[in-house]
Amino acid sequence: MSKTGTARTGTADVAIRLYGPEAFAGMRRAGQLAATALDMLVPFVKPGVTTERLDKLAFEFAMDHNAYPAPLYYRGFPKSICTSINHVVCHGIPGPKPLREGDILNIDVTLILDGWHGDTSRMYGVGAISRKAERLIDVTFEALKRGIAVVKPGNCTGDIGSAIEAYARGERCSVVEDFCGHGLGQVFHDRPNILHYRVNTVGEDAGPGVVFAPGMIFTIEPMINLGKALVKILPDGWTAVTRDRELSAQFEHTVGVTADGCEVFTYSPKGLHKPPF
């Protein structure tokens, strides 16, 4: 679940938590559990299945593994996972409407295990999907990879957005600016904010931000649209959709900065986190 808002990183982010080996171990366990939950849902994502059913399966999985779904009742959110279909950008609420052939679906899972948050999302195709939907999913996954690739000590948070936006624009797609990644650990949403677009500053090739230091933990979760970047929130107060009703896709991983790069905590144990599935 991405943090609402686009508060810019910078001087406000002066107390970013730096974690040690014990915390990394806890985040590794939580991240792997969340990734395994997404793996578990793979065979159930098919025409005729409701997102409410997927939510129930995710809740039962959490209970069976002594974990708790962080989104459930978080700021009033009514379900255990977010399910965002087609032109829904993020924070879609599971419901009784069945999935249809050709839909694309993002499932966002955050599980709390022993106090640590494992937060990840990925795209699923429902049956046979269109070529343009496949392309959007591929572009979004590659954008996430490029964002992860710049995470190392000495670079800064703005480098993530610069890498993601440069690639997405080159593929004639747009980057949603209304939501951002976030710090994570024993708190669901923490500093720093991770923007997925470039903050324009005169004379700089990359956006500004906080310099990465070993021990920082956060999510990277770009939302990429086939059309324009503009979104709106539906009356339920949660569901964000593209204003032009074009398709949107998202992938998310939780990463921890190491001495020479970063560790991704939320890779699928079965390799199912990347397309083609």
Side-chain angles (χ1 to χ4, degrees):
M1 175 176 281
S2 63
K3 184 176 180 180
T4 303
T6 55
R8 299 181 186 277
T9 55
T11 56
D13 290 324
V14 294
I16 295 171
R17 302 170 199 261
L18 299 179
Y19 295 94
E22 184 177 343
F24 269 54
M27 289 297 291
R28 198 174 295 123
R29 290 190 296 271
Q32 283 296 284
L33 187 64
T36 301
L38 291 179
D39 288 354
M40 177 272 298
L41 292 173
V42 168
F44 297 98
V45 178
K46 57 187 178 181
V49 174
T50 67
T51 51
E52 212 163 44
R53 170 66 172 152
L54 301 178
D55 180 78
K56 185 173 186 292
L57 288 166
F59 177 80
E60 291 172 347
F61 177 90
M63 296 299 102
D64 290 344
H65 291 82
N66 298 312
Y68 187 82
L72 187 59
Y73 307 129
Y74 177 77
R75 298 182 181 176
F77 190 80
K79 297 291 184 178
S80 298
I81 60 175
C82 298
T83 51
S84 303
I85 304 171
N86 295 334
H87 72 291
V88 178
V89 175
C90 63
H91 301 162
I93 301 173
K97 186 177 179 180
L99 296 170
R100 299 181 300 176
E101 182 86 14
D103 284 342
I104 59 172
L105 169 68
N106 176 272
I107 301 179
D108 191 339
V109 169
T110 306
L111 296 181
I112 306 172
L113 179 66
D114 299 327
W116 299 100
H117 290 70
D119 190 358
T120 183
S121 82
R122 72 176 75 145
M123 296 301 297
Y124 298 74
V126 182
I129 64 175
S130 67
R131 179 65 193 103
K132 72 174 185 178
E134 287 182 353
R135 178 177 171 274
L136 175 63
I137 289 173
D138 289 342
V139 168
T140 307
F141 181 73
E142 179 63 25
L144 172 62
K145 284 174 57 180
R146 294 188 181 215
I148 292 171
V150 302
V151 179
K152 60 183 179 180
N155 286 352
C156 67
T157 54
D159 294 322
I160 294 175
S162 294
I164 288 171
E165 185 173 48
Y167 173 72
R169 286 188 177 276
E171 295 295 324
R172 303 182 304 283
C173 294
S174 61
V175 181
V176 173
E177 298 183 5
D178 296 72
F179 304 94
C180 59
H182 52 89
L184 193 68
Q186 292 181 308
V187 177
F188 194 178
H189 293 109
D190 205 352
R191 294 171 175 170
N193 291 332
I194 304 297
L195 305 185
H196 304 114
Y197 59 95
R198 183 180 185 276
V199 179
N200 292 320
T201 53
V202 177
E204 293 185 21
D205 293 329
V210 176
V211 176
F212 295 125
M216 290 172 61
I217 296 175
F218 50 84
T219 68
I220 305 175
E221 45 186 301
M223 288 150 257
I224 309 296
N225 296 348
L226 272 181
K228 296 180 179 179
L230 298 176
V231 306
K232 65 179 179 180
I233 307 298
L234 297 186
D236 62 27
W238 283 100
T239 307
V241 301
T242 58
R243 286 186 176 270
D244 57 12
R245 297 187 67 83
E246 286 282 5
L247 294 177
S248 184
Q250 180 188 21
F251 282 90
E252 174 185 12
H253 279 308
T254 299
V255 305
V257 182
T258 63
D260 57 0
C262 72
E263 177 180 353
V264 179
F265 298 123
T266 46
Y267 282 148
S268 160
K270 297 181 178 180
L272 300 178
H273 57 275
K274 53 187 176 182
F277 310 110

